[in-house]
Amino acid sequence: MYPHERSLVKKMQGRPFALVGVNSDRDKQELQEALEKEHITWRSFWDKSTGGPIASTWRVHGWPTLYVLDARGIIRYKWVGGPGEAVMDKAIEKLVKQATVRRTAAR
Amino acid sequence: MHRVVGLLLLLPAMAMAGDNAKKQPMDQYQALVKQYNEQMDAFREAVRSAKTPQQRQQAFLRQPKTDKFAPKFLSLARKHPRTPAARESTTWVVGHASSNKFRGQALGILRRDWIKDAKVGPACMAATDILQPQAEPFLRAVLAKNPNHDAQATACLALANYLKDRVMPAVENIKDRPASATRYANELGKGFVQRLRQLRPAKLDEEADALYERAIREYGDVEVNGQAVASVARPELFELRHLTIGKSAPDITGEDIDGKTFKLSDYRGKVVLLDFWGNW
């Protein structure tokens, strides 16, 4: 999971994309160690448990749950459990292209 | 004297033989359920107490095969049609069988014999577990024809959930991923996939929305699995309106690990992969 996320962040540098986490670990110390060890550079909301307020509002029942929002904040994909790297990359690439065109056109 | 004693001795024996010969269908149903549950308990214990990867592998082999039990439940239902044992057996198959064939057969029996039964609720909830061609016609029939208020309530909620959680995601999957379409066709039939292709997400959304509203309005106080329908339907309706494909995501305001507050909407203008994760 982490290697793919790291490579995604690297690949998308300079393009209109952001990886945002919602983390459900209870122990701050353990979480900080994990962030360092796995070189997790993207930001996460710290929800503090699988029953945390964000996971509850978003009705998350399985981990990981992944949402892809387009540049206007519309939900375009939802996966419970990873759908595989190829599927994710294709979906994200398509939306980032659209966001880039929109950005360029707006100038 | 001898004759009376003889008769008295004979009577209990006759009664026992009678019990064994016509073991009631419900008793047979209970026995099958008990057998399955005991195997599940043994399986779980084996997994729990496994200490090495090899032991874990061995433990997983002990998982009871629902598709070995399903034919037994179906056979019981067919031998004793229109008895409570038939209703319970077919409900068990709908909720437990992994094979589409067995679930389909069970739903067929339920639709033929049980849509007007006051106790068909659990079968309705079981039907929402997995995408299945016969589930929707069954649920619609119960909602339309069952005279019992509580059964209607369950069918209304179940149909809404089924559309939101099974049909709508399948329609999206088929659009985006040809491999999904092939898989669905293999498991559920080409005809079913063709029907799915013709469904419009907006219309499904509208219907599910209306069903949740109806559940709250008409059946709000009915208790299903110990919860009032309204309190179950409201969060489902929220999910439908705000967390499904095409909806504007709710904003999030929260703290990161360093205690700094930020918002999801800070990233507007960028494509966001929102990843619910944990290291546990």
Side-chain angles (χ1 to χ4, degrees):
Chain A
M1 188 177 73
Y2 303 129
H4 181 230
E5 289 170 334
R6 283 197 298 268
S7 77
L8 200 51
V9 167
K10 193 162 171 214
K11 192 171 69 170
M12 290 290 171
Q13 252 174 353
R15 299 179 73 190
F17 170 80
L19 173 49
V20 179
V22 179
N23 173 274
S24 47
D25 287 307
R26 289 176 183 263
D27 188 298
K28 186 171 181 176
Q29 178 92 356
E30 284 180 19
L31 173 56
Q32 279 171 331
E33 284 170 11
L35 293 175
E36 253 184 63
K37 178 166 165 254
E38 301 290 346
H39 305 292
I40 293 171
T41 55
W42 53 95
R43 208 169 184 187
S44 285
F45 294 100
W46 187 30
D47 211 24
K48 300 185 183 166
S49 90
T50 53
I54 303 170
S56 297
T57 305
W58 284 65
R59 298 175 48 75
V60 174
H61 306 293
W63 275 261
T65 290
L66 305 157
Y67 282 85
V68 182
L69 315 182
D70 68 19
R72 292 172 303 157
I74 308 289
I75 297 172
R76 301 294 292 272
Y77 299 90
K78 175 190 171 181
W79 302 299
V80 181
E85 296 184 12
V87 170
M88 283 175 68
D89 289 351
K90 189 172 168 205
I92 291 167
E93 181 62 41
K94 187 170 100 171
L95 292 174
V96 170
K97 274 210 177 83
Q98 287 175 6
T100 312
V101 166
R102 218 174 270 125
R103 249 194 194 179
T104 318
R107 287 207 192 109
Chain B
M1 181 78 164
H2 287 290
R3 238 182 268 139
V4 171
V5 169
L7 208 57
L8 283 174
L9 282 175
L10 204 54
L11 280 173
M14 276 172 63
M16 263 178 62
D19 279 347
N20 282 338
K22 54 176 183 93
K23 191 172 178 193
Q24 296 299 324
M26 270 310 277
D27 293 330
Q28 292 177 55
Y29 165 77
Q30 302 285 15
L32 274 174
V33 171
K34 184 166 179 235
Q35 203 184 13
Y36 176 80
N37 287 341
E38 280 170 356
Q39 286 185 23
M40 269 307 270
D41 288 341
F43 158 66
R44 285 195 189 111
E45 179 55 34
V47 169
R48 198 196 58 78
S49 59
K51 295 199 167 50
T52 68
Q54 291 92 331
Q55 282 179 2
R56 278 186 79 82
Q57 253 187 358
Q58 284 294 98
F60 274 103
L61 291 174
R62 294 186 64 172
Q63 185 167 16
K65 308 262 183 302
T66 53
D67 284 356
K68 288 254 154 37
F69 279 86
K72 297 182 185 178
F73 281 103
L74 284 169
S75 168
L76 181 59
R78 288 186 182 116
K79 279 207 185 85
H80 306 281
R82 289 174 292 283
T83 65
R87 183 191 61 224
E88 298 304 306
S89 294
T90 49
T91 300
W92 190 97
V93 173
V94 174
H96 291 80
S98 41
S99 152
N100 162 66
K101 179 178 79 166
F102 295 137
R103 282 199 309 276
Q105 288 171 8
L107 281 165
I109 294 170
L110 283 159
R111 189 175 165 193
R112 185 191 69 201
D113 295 342
W114 296 97
I115 57 175
K116 295 187 186 174
D117 189 76
K119 294 186 182 171
V120 79
C124 293
M125 293 317 282
T128 67
D129 283 351
I130 295 175
L131 186 69
Q132 171 80 39
Q134 287 93 332
E136 201 180 316
F138 166 65
L139 292 172
R140 289 188 186 283
V142 176
L143 185 55
K145 298 186 181 166
N146 196 300
N148 180 281
H149 190 71
D150 287 13
Q152 286 170 23
T154 307
C156 186
L157 194 53
L159 182 57
N161 285 342
Y162 185 76
L163 293 177
K164 169 169 71 72
D165 296 332
R166 306 293 163 232
V167 182
M168 286 170 70
V171 168
E172 293 291 335
N173 278 341
I174 289 171
K175 256 198 304 177
D176 294 332
R177 291 144 75 175
S180 282
T182 309
R183 196 168 38 90
Y184 285 130
N186 287 339
E187 283 174 17
L188 305 170
K190 279 199 193 129
F192 182 60
V193 172
Q194 276 169 12
R195 290 206 299 280
L196 284 177
R197 276 196 205 285
Q198 290 165 8
L199 296 176
R200 284 185 289 129
K203 212 152 174 283
L204 289 167
D205 194 296
E206 225 177 82
E207 185 178 7
D209 199 293
L211 284 165
Y212 284 123
E213 293 246 313
R214 179 179 170 187
I216 294 165
R217 194 181 57 240
E218 284 182 37
Y219 307 109
D221 293 336
V222 174
E223 289 229 339
V224 176
N225 291 339
Q227 262 193 294
V229 163
S231 71
V232 175
R234 284 201 184 99
E236 302 281 4
L237 185 53
F238 176 85
E239 184 176 6
L240 179 68
R241 288 180 175 169
H242 301 285
L243 296 170
T244 49
I245 310 289
K247 302 296 160 65
S248 188
D251 200 2
I252 301 173
T253 302
E255 289 179 7
D256 62 18
I257 186 71
D258 300 318
K260 290 218 186 78
T261 302
F262 71 111
K263 295 182 176 193
L264 179 60
S265 52
D266 292 344
Y267 298 90
R268 197 59 64 83
K270 294 186 179 177
V271 172
V272 173
L273 174 61
L274 186 65
D275 187 340
F276 288 83
W277 68 286
N279 209 41
W280 39 268

